[in-house]
Amino acid sequence: MLLKPRLRPLLVPETLPFRKAISALDQRPDYGLLLIVRRDGRLLGVLSNGDVYRAAFSGSSLDVPVGEVCNKTPLTLLAGELRRPAAVRERFKRLLELRGVLCLPVLDAQGRPVDILRWTDIERKGAGAVARPRVVVVGGAGYLGTVLTQQLLARNYRVRVLDNFTHENYALYDLPHQNDIEIIKQDMRDIRTVVAALDDVRAVVLLAAVVGDPAGRNNPKATIEINYLAAKMTAEAAKYACVPRFVYASTCSVYGVGKKLLDERAPLAPVSHYAKTKIAAERAILSIADRSFAPTILRMSTLFGLSPRMRFDLVANVFALNAVRKKRIDVHGGSQWRPLLSVQDAAGAFVRVIEAPIARTAGQVFNVGSEEQNLRIQQLAEITKGVYPRTRIVVNRSAEDVRDYRISFSKIRRSLGFLPCHGVADAIREMGEFVAKHPAEKLDSGKYVNQSLDY
């Protein structure tokens, strides 16, 4: 069978170990799936990131054959159907709008893959009546924003970034697919800028904020303006621009303190100005939801890991930095709990919401993370020491952070099949390697630290 060059790397045998299939999937973000084939070449199923999450949640071993965990009922096309391009276009359009499908395997009469069709293929051939979806990411040049923009581009979205580049974080300009990025370097507090940015978009992701308790204390006025007033204004503008999906980045710190495992129904007990403004924005955004405007609130865990726009003022990132540079980690308190989440997985959660059936996400609040990554700060320090054994841990019990909460993530796992794939130890190792490669860089100040506004 003669295969098209782009198809061959996407084909993997059903006997390939699951862990190797995950690695192969990571190498092909431009398609977002692998085609799992039987010994006779017929399609058994497909493996996407969503299938990886579901398999991990069900407890599947990484050493089982990928044929045991793949999706065995994928949507496909028959090669003969391509003779009717108008019908294929309409079907693809419906799948894109209803289920976020961006790729369809094409099979011959015997069920063997012969091609893979992307929505972008249809559009480039002039067959597409609808352009690829455009997403606005407000704060798309930040720590999470650059990773999310990267993932959206890899999934063939067009991305419009609105960001004021406070920290001169221009890593966004180094991402691939620059023809699919539109960058607006402006302040989201300007209503005219926001309205212009909402032209011809399918979804808005609002990440921009004064992030974290120290920044909130240092900039109380800006925190209210950006985290609440501008967020509320942006949501209202999106509603009146007829943008159906609006995804707002909130924080698990809205829970403040809690003895039990806290789900989305738990009382909110903010202990910082930052968290209070986030709660106010959540309520304002949800209050304007209706049948045509479907906001979703994502309460994020504390992020960690590498990003094109790197930060070293997050707890796991700081520990990695200090373990390599100082061979010492200072722990303030240590017994307090924090939910942790890889920045890569965090971006994946936003993609998951954008692509989910809108009925599952409209007006919903989701905690984002996993119970396994609810860790005490002391535990996180010990994990770091496990990666870098020569590290000395110094504990100051008198300086314990009053924030102390463990979070339940069963709702997003149950509703959207979301489960993080990236662990803390691996990320600490990766960040340590980054630190070692930049010995002269001041990683604890300047562009690597959100001392003021985080966009």
Side-chain angles (χ1 to χ4, degrees):
M1 179 174 58
L2 184 62
L3 297 177
K4 295 195 174 184
R6 66 177 177 178
L7 183 63
R8 190 179 298 277
L10 302 174
L11 298 179
V12 299
E14 61 179 320
T15 55
L16 187 73
F18 184 30
R19 69 170 68 249
K20 291 188 176 180
I22 294 173
S23 177
L25 181 62
D26 286 341
Q27 294 173 24
R28 295 312 305 261
D30 47 342
Y31 284 89
L33 55 75
L34 297 177
L35 307 185
I36 314 303
V37 294
R38 305 175 191 270
R39 285 186 171 84
D40 59 6
R42 291 183 298 127
L43 183 72
L44 172 66
V46 301
L47 185 76
S48 67
N49 285 321
D51 302 318
V52 172
Y53 293 140
R54 284 185 285 274
F57 173 55
S58 67
S60 297
S61 167
L62 293 176
D63 296 315
V64 302
V66 67
E68 294 184 13
V69 296
C70 68
N71 170 18
K72 297 184 178 64
T73 57
L75 297 166
T76 61
L77 287 171
L78 291 176
E81 293 182 78
L82 299 181
R83 300 190 189 100
R84 298 176 293 161
V88 170
R89 180 174 65 248
E90 288 305 311
R91 181 184 176 196
F92 214 146
K93 176 183 172 183
R94 289 196 300 273
L95 292 173
L96 176 66
E97 293 177 343
L98 295 176
R99 301 179 60 174
V101 173
L102 293 169
C103 296
L104 284 174
V106 180
L107 310 181
D108 65 13
Q110 287 73 45
R112 297 173 300 185
V114 295
D115 201 354
I116 187 164
L117 187 66
R118 296 186 295 183
W119 178 253
T120 50
D121 300 327
I122 294 178
E123 186 182 50
R124 276 195 292 266
K125 293 174 182 176
V130 177
R132 285 175 293 148
R134 178 184 281 116
V135 177
V136 170
V137 182
V138 185
Y143 176 66
L144 172 57
T146 49
V147 177
L148 174 57
T149 298
Q150 199 171 37
Q151 292 191 12
L152 289 171
L153 292 170
R155 296 180 72 81
N156 299 308
Y157 288 92
R158 295 178 294 165
V159 182
R160 180 179 292 147
V161 170
L162 171 58
D163 199 294
N164 71 353
F165 291 83
T166 296
H167 299 284
E168 298 184 357
N169 40 301
Y170 296 108
L172 193 69
Y173 290 92
D174 296 326
L175 298 184
H177 310 290
Q178 283 295 315
N179 290 338
D180 294 325
I181 305 178
E182 180 183 349
I183 299 174
I184 303 174
K185 187 180 177 182
Q186 295 290 343
D187 196 308
M188 68 172 288
R189 286 170 286 188
D190 179 31
I191 182 64
R192 290 172 296 181
T193 296
V194 171
V195 170
L198 296 174
D199 182 49
D200 185 30
V201 302
R202 179 163 299 175
V204 174
V205 176
L206 177 50
L207 305 177
V210 178
V211 174
D213 296 350
R217 287 193 301 270
N218 295 337
N219 304 276
K221 180 181 176 182
T223 302
I224 294 173
E225 289 179 353
I226 295 171
N227 292 11
Y228 172 58
L229 295 174
K232 179 174 181 289
M233 178 266 290
T234 303
E236 291 173 342
K239 176 177 180 176
Y240 290 107
C242 298
V243 179
R245 292 184 187 265
F246 188 94
V247 192
Y248 177 67
S250 188
T251 170
C252 284
S253 69
V254 297
Y255 298 109
V257 179
K259 298 295 183 183
K260 300 179 180 178
L261 205 62
L262 305 173
D263 64 16
E264 291 81 357
R265 299 166 296 179
L268 305 184
V271 297
S272 68
H273 187 52
Y274 163 64
K276 290 174 183 177
T277 59
K278 283 294 189 177
I279 293 171
E282 283 188 16
R283 291 170 176 168
I285 293 167
L286 291 174
S287 71
I288 61 173
D290 60 21
R291 294 180 63 181
S292 61
F293 180 68
T296 305
I297 309 298
L298 296 185
R299 291 176 178 163
M300 310 305 294
S301 298
T302 300
L303 301 185
F304 64 82
L306 288 177
S307 163
R309 189 264 139 160
M310 193 55 193
R311 284 179 60 185
F312 280 104
D313 57 353
L314 297 160
V315 60
N317 301 12
V318 171
F319 283 4
L321 171 65
N322 290 340
V324 174
R325 287 263 174 102
K326 301 178 180 179
K327 306 294 188 293
R328 165 180 169 148
I329 296 174
D330 291 293
V331 174
H332 302 292
S335 65
Q336 66 271 37
W337 289 92
R338 285 290 185 282
L340 299 174
L341 179 68
S342 159
V343 67
Q344 295 287 338
D345 288 324
F350 285 91
V351 174
R352 183 62 60 92
V353 170
I354 290 170
E355 297 184 349
I358 204 163
R360 293 188 187 178
T361 62
Q364 295 297 313
V365 177
F366 296 102
N367 296 332
V368 185
S370 67
E371 285 84 356
E372 292 75 15
Q373 291 182 343
N374 279 317
L375 297 174
R376 295 185 187 273
I377 300 300
Q378 180 74 38
Q379 288 178 288
L380 178 58
E382 296 293 344
I383 290 171
T384 307
K385 182 177 176 62
V387 177
Y388 296 103
R390 296 176 61 190
T391 302
R392 184 164 63 100
I393 299 174
V394 178
V395 180
N396 181 357
R397 298 293 183 192
S398 65
E400 186 144 10
D401 193 325
V402 295
R403 295 171 299 164
D404 184 8
Y405 47 88
R406 289 184 299 149
I407 305 299
S408 166
F409 303 99
S410 61
K411 181 178 178 180
I412 193 169
R413 190 167 60 240
R414 183 178 64 250
S415 300
L416 302 181
F418 174 81
L419 190 69
C421 297
H422 298 81
V424 177
D426 287 342
I428 287 172
R429 184 175 294 105
E430 291 172 354
M431 289 187 288
E433 292 171 356
F434 177 91
V435 172
K437 291 177 182 177
H438 297 81
E441 191 83 11
K442 294 182 178 180
L443 299 177
D444 57 353
S445 62
K447 66 180 182 179
Y448 296 101
V449 175
N450 288 348
Q451 296 174 335
S452 54
L453 311 186
D454 180 66
Y455 270 35

